[in-house]
């Protein structure tokens, strides 16, 4: 399959409608994904990125129908992760001497993955590669989201090839941002940012400002996953600048797990108290054992504050809650508040354990949290409602 983008630039990647888990089993992909590879056929021919390993043979077979592989003058590897470099061994078995342009880290990482001594050329920000009348300009983008990541820019056509940046795990036969359902698209964009790019928000902000300072016109952004931004591509750049700067909506998310429903009853009554105190705030509840982890993380990303609940078990907390706390520690959310709650029967450590974890994850824990002995009785339920009213104020 070859999809024309502009002038002599085409998409030659793979749409993966079946994908439901990415990064092993770490990231849910309800709407599949795409691995975007681009072919630029100017006086010189450049191929930007490839596809994931399971599609390597199919990809190269497809490419051979489009172009004699020997006519590819340059391979550009914007990022060494296997979803983009996976077809390199198959491709390079046909054209072993063709130069591969990537960052110095890219060379290390590609060698680490494939143990091949291909004809590597390291590039830095500002380096140019002539394709004839047009040029590719390379822009290193370390930690967006790996140390090897880079973007490149095609002069004349004003296309930014941004690799993972501005991408989404979103399969669509339309392939262009103006043709797809906008709500679906933005839902996948924010999920991608929340789950993958949040820890690198400072780098995102800095890199976007650096690229903007080059004053290069950007007509199209060709990402490595999901749709190509050809209609008002600035919209996703502006959205990234918002997401990179302590993003929050007027939302409070309550996440919990429960053994015999006591902690669920607490969650619902805390929510009731919040709503009684503040009708405008969007309160959402998720039982972590029944919810998709990555969807919950997206909701946390959108929140100004979270409440985390677990009953006490073996002096600790339930594993679904522990797993979420471990994940959000790595994501390093900024500027969010939090509190803990949970039922207990005798020792009752869960609220303290959750609060400590939230603090070490960078949340501002607003108080000591709330506990309920055994199943909440009428008095306990009233206490939870009152607690909801109180934290509604503390979370502002
Ligand atoms: Fe889409 Fe970092 O690979």
């Amino acid at each position: 399959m070859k999809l024309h983008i502009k002038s002599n630039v085409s998409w030659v990647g793979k749409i993966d409608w079946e994908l439901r888990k990415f990064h092993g089993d770490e990231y849910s992909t309800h709407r599949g994904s795409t691995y975007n590879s681009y072919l630029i056929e100017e006086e010189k021919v450049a191929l930007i990125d490839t596809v994931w390993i399971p599609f390597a043979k199919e990809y190269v077979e497809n490419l051979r129908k489009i172009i004699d592989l020997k006519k590819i003058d340059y391979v550009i590897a914007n990022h060494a992760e296997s979803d983009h470099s996976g077809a390199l061994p198959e491709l390079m078995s046909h054209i072993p001497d063709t130069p591969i342009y990537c960052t110095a880290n890219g060379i290390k990482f590609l060698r680490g993955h494939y143990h091949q001594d291909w004809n590597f050329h390291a590039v830095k920000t500002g380096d140019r590669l002539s394709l004839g009348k047009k040029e590719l300009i390379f822009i290193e983008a370390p930690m967006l989201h790996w140390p090897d990541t880079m973007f490149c820019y095609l002069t004349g056509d004003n296309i930014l090839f941004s690799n993972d940046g501005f991408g989404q795990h979103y399969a669509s036969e339309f392939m262009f941002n103006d043709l797809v359902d906008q709500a679906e698209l933005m839902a996948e964009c924010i999920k991608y940012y929340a789950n993958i790019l949040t820890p690198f928000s400072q780098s995102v902000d800095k890199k976007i400002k650096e690229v903007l300072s080059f004053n290069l016109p950007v007509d199209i952004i060709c990402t490595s996953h999901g749709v190509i931004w050809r209609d008002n591509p600035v919209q996703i750049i502006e959205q990234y600048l918002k997401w990179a700067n302590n993003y929050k909506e007027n939302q409070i998310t309550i996440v919990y797990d429960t053994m015999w429903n006591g902690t669920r009853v607490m969650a619902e009554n805390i929510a009731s108290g919040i709503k009684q105190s503040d009708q405008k705030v969007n309160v959402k509840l998720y039982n972590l054992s029944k919810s998709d982890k990555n969807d919950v993380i997206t909701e946390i990303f959108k929140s100004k504050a979270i409440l985390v609940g677990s009953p006490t078990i073996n002096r600790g907390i339930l594993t679904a809650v522990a797993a979420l706390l471990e994940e959000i520690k790595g994501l390093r959310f900024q500027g969010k508040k939090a509190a803990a709650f949970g039922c207990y029967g005798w020792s009752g450590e869960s609220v303290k354990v959750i609060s400590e974890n939230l603090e070490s994850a960078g949340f501002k824990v607003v108080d000591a949290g709330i506990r309920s002995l055994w199943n909440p009785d009428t008095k306990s339920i009233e206490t939870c409602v009152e607690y909801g009213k109180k934290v509604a104020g503390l979370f502002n």
Side-chain angles (χ1 to χ4, degrees):
M1 185 178 165
K2 179 183 183 182
L3 179 69
H4 179 250
I5 298 173
K6 183 180 181 183
S7 306
N8 298 314
V9 182
S10 307
W11 175 93
V12 291
K14 171 69 187 175
I15 301 174
D16 187 354
W17 281 99
E18 279 197 354
L19 191 76
R20 289 295 176 269
K21 292 284 182 182
F22 187 76
H23 282 158
D25 277 346
E26 273 298 299
Y27 186 110
S28 61
T29 49
H30 308 313
R31 296 186 175 99
S33 193
T34 74
Y35 317 105
N36 296 341
S37 171
Y38 300 99
L39 188 65
I40 309 173
E41 296 170 272
E42 292 290 328
E43 287 93 325
K44 295 284 187 181
V45 175
L47 180 73
I48 299 179
D49 292 326
T50 68
V51 300
W52 189 30
I53 297 163
F55 302 105
K57 278 197 182 298
E58 175 185 334
Y59 166 80
V60 172
E61 279 311 304
N62 181 55
L63 200 56
R64 288 174 79 170
K65 288 178 197 152
I66 295 166
I67 190 167
D68 175 355
L69 299 182
K70 295 199 167 42
K71 289 193 175 154
I72 298 172
D73 296 292
Y74 313 116
V75 173
I76 315 296
N78 276 339
H79 178 30
E81 199 166 7
S82 315
D83 50 329
H84 309 297
S85 65
L88 276 180
E90 177 67 22
L91 177 70
M92 300 313 286
S93 71
H94 297 276
I95 47 170
D97 300 324
T98 302
I100 299 178
Y101 288 76
C102 57
T103 61
N105 274 328
I107 297 174
K108 281 191 221 159
F109 296 1
L110 287 169
R111 282 197 175 124
H113 276 147
Y114 304 111
H115 315 293
Q116 298 287 325
D117 204 14
W118 290 317
N119 180 12
F120 291 113
H121 290 249
V123 291
K124 294 194 168 97
T125 297
D127 287 355
R128 289 167 179 255
L129 181 64
S130 174
L131 303 181
K133 290 189 189 68
K134 298 171 188 171
E135 285 181 314
L136 278 173
I137 304 174
F138 299 103
I139 304 161
E140 293 166 280
M143 301 322 292
L144 290 177
H145 64 128
W146 272 21
D148 69 305
T149 304
M150 71 172 183
F151 303 160
C152 52
Y153 176 86
L154 180 63
T155 62
D157 291 323
N158 305 336
I159 299 176
L160 179 68
F161 297 91
S162 61
N163 197 262
D164 285 327
F166 312 120
Q168 341 82 43
H169 289 303
Y170 184 32
S172 170
E173 297 291 328
F174 283 128
M175 284 305 302
F176 290 104
N177 73 305
D178 50 307
L179 301 180
V180 300
D181 182 298
Q182 297 302 291
E184 284 186 359
L185 171 60
M186 291 319 288
E188 293 302 336
C189 283
I190 195 169
K191 177 177 176 178
Y192 190 93
Y193 190 98
N195 282 273
I196 295 176
L197 290 168
T198 295
F200 314 115
S201 282
Q202 273 190 327
S203 304
V204 169
D205 185 72
K206 209 167 136 202
K207 183 52 59 180
I208 288 178
K209 286 172 180 163
E210 181 193 323
V211 172
L212 292 176
S213 77
F214 298 157
N215 286 320
L216 296 167
V218 176
D219 294 345
I220 298 176
I221 298 176
C222 287
T223 69
S224 61
H225 295 291
V227 297
I228 293 157
W229 297 90
R230 68 176 179 187
D231 177 48
N232 184 21
V234 171
Q235 66 179 294
I236 191 63
I237 296 173
E238 287 172 347
Q239 202 60 63
Y240 262 49
L241 285 172
K242 284 186 201 160
W243 290 338
N245 286 282
N246 297 352
Y247 184 74
K248 47 181 165 291
E249 299 175 13
N250 189 17
Q251 176 172 328
I252 296 171
T253 302
I254 303 177
V255 297
Y256 62 93
D257 197 3
T258 191
M259 290 170 77
W260 299 107
N261 278 333
T263 301
R264 177 180 65 79
V265 169
M266 290 186 77
E268 290 178 358
N269 283 285
I270 293 168
S272 172
I274 295 171
K275 287 308 291 179
Q276 287 175 41
S277 173
D278 182 350
Q279 280 83 50
K280 290 194 176 152
V281 69
N282 189 3
V283 185
K284 295 188 181 179
L285 283 77
Y286 294 93
N287 179 321
L288 292 170
S289 288
K290 300 178 195 295
S291 307
D292 181 278
K293 176 190 71 166
N294 306 103
D295 292 342
V296 170
I297 283 168
T298 309
E299 296 301 334
I300 292 174
F301 177 70
K302 287 154 65 180
S303 301
K304 63 181 178 183
I306 62 171
L307 283 141
V308 181
S310 171
T312 296
I313 180 168
N314 300 332
R315 298 185 178 175
I317 56 179
L318 290 175
T319 54
V321 180
L324 183 89
L325 289 169
E326 172 64 19
E327 181 126 11
I328 62 177
K329 187 163 74 178
L331 288 170
R332 303 201 300 273
F333 290 110
Q334 302 285 320
K336 298 190 189 298
K337 295 179 180 175
F341 63 97
C343 284
Y344 69 104
W346 48 101
S347 58
E349 291 91 341
S350 69
V351 169
K352 186 164 177 285
V353 169
I354 292 169
S355 296
E356 286 169 358
N357 274 278
L358 285 167
E359 258 176 34
S360 70
F363 286 77
K364 181 167 188 253
V365 178
V366 295
D367 68 8
I370 182 171
R371 301 192 304 171
S372 177
L373 181 61
W374 299 114
N375 269 335
D377 58 12
T378 309
K379 188 164 174 296
S380 254
I381 285 171
E382 279 168 17
T383 306
C384 287
V385 172
E386 289 309 310
Y387 184 73
K389 290 181 188 170
K390 178 186 147 193
V391 290
L394 292 174
F395 286 164
N396 281 326

Coordinates of all heavy atoms in Angstrom, one line a residue, residues 26 61 115 123 161 253 329 356 384 389:
E26 N 1.8 -3.5 28.4 CA 1.7 -2.3 29.3 C 0.7 -1.3 28.9 O 0.2 -0.5 29.7 CB 3.1 -1.7 29.3 CG 4.0 -2.2 30.4 CD 3.5 -2.0 31.8 OE1 3.3 -0.9 32.2 OE2 3.2 -3.1 32.5
E61 N 8.1 -6.6 1.2 CA 7.4 -7.1 0.0 C 6.6 -5.9 -0.7 O 6.6 -5.7 -1.9 CB 6.5 -8.3 0.3 CG 7.2 -9.6 0.3 CD 8.2 -9.8 -0.8 OE1 7.7 -9.7 -2.0 OE2 9.4 -10.0 -0.6
H115 N 22.4 -6.2 16.6 CA 23.8 -6.8 16.5 C 24.3 -6.8 15.1 O 24.9 -7.8 14.6 CB 23.8 -8.2 17.2 CG 23.1 -8.2 18.5 ND1 23.5 -7.5 19.6 CD2 21.9 -8.8 18.8 CE1 22.7 -7.7 20.6 NE2 21.7 -8.5 20.1
V123 N 24.0 11.8 13.0 CA 23.6 13.2 12.7 C 23.3 13.9 14.0 O 22.9 13.3 15.0 CB 22.5 13.3 11.7 CG1 22.9 12.8 10.3 CG2 21.2 12.5 12.2
F161 N 8.7 15.3 10.2 CA 8.6 13.9 10.6 C 8.9 13.8 12.1 O 10.1 13.9 12.4 CB 9.5 13.0 9.7 CG 9.2 13.1 8.2 CD1 9.8 14.1 7.4 CD2 8.2 12.3 7.7 CE1 9.5 14.2 6.1 CE2 7.9 12.4 6.3 CZ 8.5 13.3 5.5
T253 N -10.8 12.5 40.3 CA -10.9 11.1 40.0 C -10.7 10.3 41.2 O -9.7 10.5 42.0 CB -9.9 10.7 38.9 OG1 -10.1 11.5 37.7 CG2 -10.1 9.2 38.5
K329 N 4.1 6.7 40.1 CA 5.3 7.2 40.6 C 6.3 7.5 39.4 O 7.0 8.5 39.3 CB 5.9 6.2 41.6 CG 7.2 6.7 42.3 CD 7.5 5.9 43.5 CE 8.1 4.6 43.0 NZ 8.5 3.7 44.2
E356 N 1.7 7.8 51.7 CA 3.1 7.8 51.6 C 3.5 7.6 50.1 O 4.4 8.3 49.6 CB 3.8 6.7 52.4 CG 3.8 7.1 53.9 CD 4.2 5.9 54.8 OE1 4.5 4.8 54.3 OE2 4.3 6.1 56.0
C384 N -18.1 10.1 55.6 CA -17.5 10.1 54.2 C -18.1 11.2 53.4 O -17.3 11.9 52.6 CB -17.8 8.8 53.5 SG -16.8 7.4 54.1
K389 N -17.1 16.8 51.1 CA -17.3 18.2 51.1 C -16.0 18.9 51.5 O -15.7 20.0 50.9 CB -18.4 18.6 52.1 CG -19.8 18.1 51.7 CD -20.8 18.6 52.8 CE -22.2 18.0 52.6 NZ -23.1 18.2 53.7

